[in-house]
Amino acid sequence: YDSSTERRKPLFDLLSRAGVAESGLEGLLSVSKTKSRKSSAEDWLRQADNLERNRLWAHAEKAFLKGGDEKRALEAGGRRLCDEAAVAPKEARSAAFHHAAIAFMLCASREPEERARGVSLVRAARIWCAAASFASSSRAAGFYARAGEVLRDGVDPPRLVDALSCFVGAAEQTPKDKMAWATAQGLAARALQDSGADAERLPGGLKP
């Protein structure tokens, strides 16, 4: 943070309005604190935790980076991009959601704990589906397919029904793409086999 009171004031006012300063950040932002010593990684991570609790994703993202926690920085960055996508012009939403999904994929790649990794992967898949809803048909098909691949191959156990929904969404965007329909059909058969159901119960368009 800048040691100049005037330069720091807009950020401090923003944090104060959000209730962060009252939670203890005021002391960390004081001129005397800034001049007395550099912030350690632990200081930055404490600030990042506080900022994250107050949903100040952009500031939390930077603080996590300065504290050396890339995984949590990516998660905060993904949430920031989702918030930005929600208020962006319609034509810009698809790209913002796409970048958010990538952030959560990268977050998952740095997560050592399997359950937490699965949470990030499922979140990425859902965000790609959101990206698809604002994209052109060809790009939407790609986003749905990526989401399906993550749910089929990335999580344990695979979420086959959700993956099937994504692959069907991809095929519907490009109805003449026989490969897309074949992928959906193959996954439908696998999902039914895993559940012990009868393939004859599938709709005609999805029977293998």
Side-chain angles (χ1 to χ4, degrees):
Y1 295 105
D2 202 300
S3 60
S4 165
T5 302
E6 287 303 312
R7 291 180 183 177
R8 194 175 64 245
K9 190 174 185 299
L11 174 60
F12 181 75
D13 289 345
L14 170 65
L15 298 176
S16 295
R17 287 196 299 273
V20 180
E22 290 75 10
S23 301
L25 194 58
E26 184 174 7
L28 295 173
L29 289 175
S30 68
V31 174
S32 60
K33 189 79 170 183
T34 305
K35 287 182 177 178
S36 63
R37 64 180 179 86
K38 284 188 174 182
S39 295
S40 67
E42 291 76 14
D43 292 331
W44 283 112
L45 292 177
R46 278 195 295 271
Q47 292 181 44
D49 285 336
N50 206 1
L51 292 162
E52 184 182 54
R53 282 193 295 272
N54 285 273
R55 304 176 68 85
L56 295 170
W57 307 124
H59 298 303
E61 178 184 2
K62 293 176 182 177
F64 279 128
L65 279 175
K66 287 182 177 293
D69 193 332
E70 289 188 1
K71 179 181 70 68
R72 294 185 70 185
L74 286 164
E75 183 176 0
R79 292 181 183 277
R80 170 181 61 80
L81 287 164
C82 283
D83 283 356
E84 290 175 1
V87 298
K90 188 174 181 181
E91 62 273 13
R93 290 181 187 177
S94 177
F97 279 126
H98 172 51
H99 294 152
I102 292 174
F104 280 108
M105 290 293 291
L106 291 171
C107 179
S109 73
R110 289 163 169 76
E111 177 55 68
E113 203 276 315
E114 185 172 318
R115 183 178 178 279
R117 183 166 61 251
V119 169
S120 291
L121 290 171
V122 170
R123 184 171 289 140
R126 289 174 176 168
I127 295 170
W128 263 320
C129 290
S133 65
F134 296 101
S136 63
S137 293
S138 60
R139 286 185 61 79
F143 291 147
Y144 280 128
R146 289 186 185 187
E149 289 166 359
V150 169
L151 295 170
R152 180 191 63 190
D153 304 326
V155 297
D156 186 21
R159 298 181 60 150
L160 297 181
V161 173
D162 292 334
L164 174 59
S165 177
C166 294
F167 283 120
V168 169
E172 288 176 341
Q173 297 297 319
T174 53
K176 294 183 179 180
D177 186 344
K178 294 182 180 180
M179 183 64 69
W181 283 110
T183 300
Q185 289 171 341
L187 187 59
R190 177 181 166 188
L192 287 171
Q193 184 179 25
D194 286 1
S195 65
D198 185 353
E200 289 303 315
R201 295 171 57 188
L202 280 172
L206 285 178
K207 288 180 182 178

